[in-house]
């Protein structure tokens, strides 16, 4: 059984009710491969989750962009995993580089978040990735291994985890890792899982790429053996997201 191609759309902090309805209409009308070929998850801001979920075609799922590290309570401004589960939101993105950088989320904190979200029945897109300084210093693998290790130390079951490798220097910059650069890190990550978790987890866990993915570069990236899909930022707000979903056919061909 191969790994099913996975395409996530991270809308980040964007959208109005009108814009959101327009994006959903485009998604609903798009011609895409069947759900046994590709799994599609879109992640609008919290406030739009219910409306997107109610309007979106049934084979596409929704994700939150974050959730709190433990049970709810006196944590003003936070949203708990229980609330997401209660709303029927199946997925959550955790450890995105913007949160690591802007909000100081540490590897350990992200590991705790992943474990708690899984314990509440959510599925997790866990993000890892290095900065430009780290890449230029040659420490890419060291950085992503440490980020992955912090998660591996807290969880036993990887069946509901997708790892998103997002080189920070490629997010929203228009710079994209070359297919060879992406494949190298994905293969190294899979190798790390094989050695440090298990060969089974390494073989079955989807490792997706994020960082300026577009309709123009998605097919070449999708052709890499260890690239199991994408986490798309800016382009997920545009009609070209449909083209990116269709890159799944590269794998099933």
């Amino acid at each position: 059984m191969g790994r099913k191609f996975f395409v996530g759309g991270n809308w980040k902090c964007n959208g109005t009710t009108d814009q959101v309805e327009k994006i959903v209409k485009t998604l609903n009308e798009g011609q895409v491969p069947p759900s046994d070929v590709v799994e599609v998850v879109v992640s609008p801001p919290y406030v739009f989750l219910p409306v997107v979920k109610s309007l979106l075609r049934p084979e596409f799922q929704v994700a939150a962009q974050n959730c709190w590290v433990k049970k709810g309570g006196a944590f003003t401004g936070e949203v708990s995993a229980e609330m997401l589960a209660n709303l029927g939101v199946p997925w959550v993105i955790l450890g995105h580089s913007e949160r690591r950088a802007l909000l100081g989320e540490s590897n350990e904190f992200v590991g705790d978040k992943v474990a708690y979200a899984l314990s509440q029945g959510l599925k997790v897109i866990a993000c890892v990735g290095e900065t430009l300084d780290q890449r230029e210093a040659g420490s890419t693998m060291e950085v992503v291994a440490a980020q992955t290790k912090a998660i591996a130390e807290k969880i036993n079951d990887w069946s509901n985890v997708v790892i998103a490798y997002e080189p920070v220097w490629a997010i929203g910059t228009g710079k994209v890792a070359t297919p060879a650069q992406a494949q190298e890190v994905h293969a190294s990550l899979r190798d790390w899982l094989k050695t440090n978790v298990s060969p089974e987890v390494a073989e079955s866990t989807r490792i997706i790429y994020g960082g300026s993915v577009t309709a123009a570069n998605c097919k070449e990236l999708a052709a890499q053996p260890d690239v199991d899909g994408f986490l798309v930022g800016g382009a997920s707000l545009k009609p070209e997201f449909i083209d990116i979903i269709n890159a799944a056919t590269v794998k099933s061909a």
Side-chain angles (χ1 to χ4, degrees), residues 11-202:
W11 298 3
K12 305 191 180 183
C13 189
N14 291 295
T16 60
T17 309
D18 288 352
Q19 288 168 339
V20 163
E21 286 175 1
K22 199 178 287 181
I23 295 166
V24 172
K25 186 172 187 286
T26 303
L27 291 175
N28 287 351
E29 291 169 357
Q31 295 289 311
V32 298
S35 53
D36 59 343
V37 172
V38 62
E39 186 167 7
V40 180
V41 175
V42 296
S43 189
Y46 285 135
V47 291
F48 299 124
L49 278 167
V51 68
V52 171
K53 189 173 180 294
S54 68
L55 298 175
L56 195 62
R57 60 201 290 174
E59 71 272 34
F60 288 8
Q61 300 174 84
V62 292
Q65 296 175 16
N66 176 48
C67 66
W68 181 234
V69 67
K70 54 188 170 187
K71 196 169 161 47
F75 307 106
T76 301
E78 289 297 329
V79 170
S80 70
E82 289 88 344
M83 292 173 192
L84 296 175
N86 179 249
L87 281 180
V89 173
W91 286 89
V92 63
I93 299 171
L94 295 172
H96 193 280
S97 65
E98 285 154 6
R99 298 194 63 84
R100 290 176 187 265
L102 301 172
L103 293 142
E105 294 195 0
S106 67
N107 292 352
E108 292 65 35
F109 189 61
V110 173
D112 286 335
K113 279 188 163 186
V114 171
Y116 193 76
L118 291 172
S119 78
Q120 297 307 305
L122 299 180
K123 299 176 185 182
V124 175
I125 300 165
C127 303
V128 300
E130 83 285 8
T131 63
L132 187 57
D133 288 350
Q134 290 164 335
R135 174 162 279 270
E136 287 175 345
S139 56
T140 294
M141 230 7 253
E142 203 180 311
V143 170
V144 297
Q147 291 169 333
T148 309
K149 180 173 184 272
I151 295 167
E153 285 173 342
K154 302 278 167 61
I155 73 172
N156 297 314
D157 182 358
W158 286 77
S159 57
N160 288 323
V161 179
V162 169
I163 298 174
Y165 167 59
E166 297 201 297
V168 179
W169 48 273
I171 297 174
T173 58
K175 287 180 184 168
V176 62
T178 64
Q181 283 174 321
Q183 169 57 22
E184 182 187 19
V185 178
H186 284 231
S188 300
L189 257 174
R190 205 174 297 290
D191 206 44
W192 188 93
L193 288 172
K194 186 178 175 181
T195 307
N196 297 280
V197 182
S198 77
E200 295 73 25
V201 165

